[in-house]
């Protein structure tokens, strides 16, 4: 019996491609955000609102990841921004090579912010670096205030937490203060925005924050 | 859910690490952190599924589970925490850094020695 030392990261191939993506994005001066959340928290709605409220201020492009259909890309397409749909055909997360290939389709378009909408899933996407600058985790008030404690890896790796559907607070069993406390106990550095894609509450503040990132 | 693709990555790294293409692998030792998002049972199941009736059929996945280890930036105390609440148990500070717990690595593989030449 002999032992061979390997000492290699299982996802090293993905990490290497992600690093190449990151270098490419950097060379193009792009600010790249990876939107992650459970299904139905409002990722696509937030993208729509972000584009709508940043028109004339920020040029945005979108890579949409879904298990099936190009419905999300069609929604974003109405805003006349560069958009590519990735269909994972059952895959529960996006991987760096999928983003690399999708990006080639919009590489020559004129934009400064790239939003990658990951597959709705709070587990697997936390393992796969795509080459983004930051992960933005979206959590809606209907999902309950204990979500951050149940999916710590995702909240630990994110830089921004968007609490969506804030207008539903009077009708749902969600303690907003508790939700924020739980999120900050996993990651005290999280920048938190409270928004409603229905009433537009908080959207401008969020858009201004993005705008400050690209100026800096 | 992504354990299947992780099992495939493991297999391809193992294949690339073999001294001879027909080396018989008896064990693959992995380090898996508690925060890696990988379910060990599901990974083992996936690995068995993709290696069934192949030369890796008898290769066992041996998992060293790594707990979450943090270091407090305020009091410098290093602690192992059971719940992923990033709070220093010594001084209750949230200002902590993660030292261990995100691992997903192949440490080593064990192969049978070629006793009889074919």
């Amino acid at each position: 019996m002999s032992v061979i030392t390997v000492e290699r990261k299982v996802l090293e191939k993905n990490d290497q491609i992600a690093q190449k993506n990151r270098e490419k994005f950097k060379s193009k001066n792009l600010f790249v955000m990876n939107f992650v959340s459970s299904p139905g928290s409002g990722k696509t709605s937030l993208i729509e609102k972000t584009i709508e409220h940043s028109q004339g201020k920020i040029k945005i492009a979108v890579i949409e990841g879904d298990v099936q259909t190009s419905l999300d890309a069609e929604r974003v397409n109405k805003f006349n921004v560069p958009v590519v749909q990735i269909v994972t055909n059952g895959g529960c997360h996006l991987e760096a090579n999928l983003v690399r290939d999708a990006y080639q389709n919009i590489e020559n378009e004129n934009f400064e912010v790239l939003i990658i909408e990951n597959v709705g899933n709070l587990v697997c996407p936390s393992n796969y670096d795509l080459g983004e600058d930051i992960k933005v985790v979206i959590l809606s008030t209907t999902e309950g205030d204990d979500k951050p404690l149940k999916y710590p890896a995702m909240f630990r790796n994110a830089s921004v937490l968007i609490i969506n559907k804030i207008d539903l607070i009077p009708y749902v069993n969600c303690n907003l203060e508790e939700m924020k406390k739980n999120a900050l106990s996993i990651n005290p550095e999280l920048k938190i925005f409270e928004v409603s894609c229905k009433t537009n509450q908080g959207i401008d503040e969020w858009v201004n924050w993005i705008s400050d990132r690209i100026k800096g | 859910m992504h354990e299947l693709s992780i099992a495939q990555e493991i297999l391809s790294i193992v294949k690339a690490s073999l001294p001879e293409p027909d080396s018989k692998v008896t064990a693959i030792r992995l380090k898996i952190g508690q925060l890696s998002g990988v379910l060990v049972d599901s990974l083992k199941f996936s690995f068995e599924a993709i290696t069934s009736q192949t030369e890796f059929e008898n290769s066992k996945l041996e998992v060293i589970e790594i707990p979450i280890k943090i270091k407090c930036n305020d009091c410098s105390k290093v602690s192992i925490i059971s719940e992923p609440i990033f709070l220093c148990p010594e001084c209750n500070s949230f200002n902590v850094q993660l030292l261990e717990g995100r691992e997903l690595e192949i440490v080593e593989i064990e192969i049978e020695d070629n006793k009889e030449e074919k």
Side-chain angles (χ1 to χ4, degrees), chain B residues 34-52:
Chain B
Q34 217 185 320
L35 269 181
S36 68
V38 172
L39 195 60
V40 172
D41 285 346
S42 166
L43 179 63
K44 285 185 172 166
F45 176 80
S46 301
F47 190 79
E48 274 170 33
I50 60 168
T51 54
S52 152

Side-chain angles (χ1 to χ4, degrees), chain B residues 19-37:
Chain B
E20 308 286 340
D22 60 350
S23 304
K24 220 163 179 295
V25 178
T26 48
I28 301 163
R29 272 180 212 112
L30 306 166
K31 262 192 206 169
I32 298 187
Q34 217 185 320
L35 269 181
S36 68

Side-chain angles (χ1 to χ4, degrees), chain A:
Chain A
M1 208 70 82
S2 49
V3 169
I4 300 168
T5 306
V6 181
E7 299 276 3
R8 281 167 70 178
K9 285 191 174 166
V10 173
L11 297 178
E12 61 178 16
K13 207 163 69 189
N14 182 75
D15 290 349
Q16 284 158 5
I17 300 170
Q19 198 46 40
K20 285 212 177 102
N21 288 351
R22 186 166 283 116
E23 283 157 20
K24 189 155 209 181
F25 298 151
K26 209 178 155 118
S27 74
K28 298 258 183 173
N29 270 325
L30 292 179
F31 179 56
V32 184
M33 296 185 282
N34 180 2
F35 277 23
V36 290
S37 79
S38 39
S41 65
K43 287 186 297 302
T44 313
S45 298
L46 182 67
I47 290 173
E48 290 174 310
K49 287 293 171 184
T50 307
I51 296 170
E52 203 179 297
H53 285 243
S54 65
Q55 264 166 2
K57 279 196 285 190
I58 311 171
K59 294 190 211 78
I60 298 177
V62 180
I63 293 177
E64 280 291 341
D66 279 293
V67 173
Q68 282 300 336
T69 80
S70 58
L71 294 171
D72 282 358
E74 286 160 27
R75 278 171 66 181
V76 174
N77 209 14
K78 292 190 186 113
F79 295 91
N80 272 324
V81 299
V83 56
V84 203
Q85 176 80 50
I86 299 173
V87 176
T88 64
N89 275 318
C92 53
H93 58 271
L94 291 182
E95 295 185 12
N97 62 326
L98 297 174
V99 170
R100 175 196 61 200
D101 297 347
Y103 175 71
Q104 281 171 358
N105 294 302
I106 49 171
E107 200 166 10
N108 297 319
E109 307 266 359
N110 179 21
F111 58 94
E112 50 206 342
V113 170
L114 175 61
I115 300 176
I116 303 166
E117 182 181 336
N118 218 312
V119 177
N121 177 347
L122 277 175
V123 187
C124 321
S126 79
N127 281 30
Y128 293 84
D129 184 10
L130 305 178
E132 73 272 11
D133 291 300
I134 60 164
K135 282 189 176 69
V136 175
V137 58
I138 295 122
L139 178 58
S140 59
T141 55
T142 53
E143 291 168 65
D145 44 42
D146 53 1
K147 265 272 155 78
L149 303 179
K150 292 181 176 168
Y151 300 90
M154 191 60 95
F155 287 83
R156 182 75 189 175
N157 296 336
S159 308
V160 173
L161 165 63
I162 307 256
I163 302 178
N164 189 24
K165 307 186 191 176
I166 203 79
D167 53 308
L168 295 183
I169 280 284
Y171 314 106
V172 293
N173 192 13
C174 170
N175 181 331
L176 186 60
E177 289 315 307
E178 194 65 22
M179 184 183 260
K180 289 196 275 190
K181 199 186 96 194
N182 288 339
L184 290 172
S185 75
I186 303 293
N187 181 358
E189 319 247 289
L190 269 179
K191 169 81 182 156
I192 302 180
F193 293 92
E194 296 167 22
V195 310
S196 162
C197 292
K198 187 91 180 163
T199 67
N200 294 330
Q201 183 186 332
I203 300 290
D204 283 330
E205 196 191 342
W206 155 242
V207 169
N208 288 339
W209 184 86
I210 301 173
S211 180
D212 288 345
R213 295 281 90 55
I214 56 177
K215 276 183 218 133

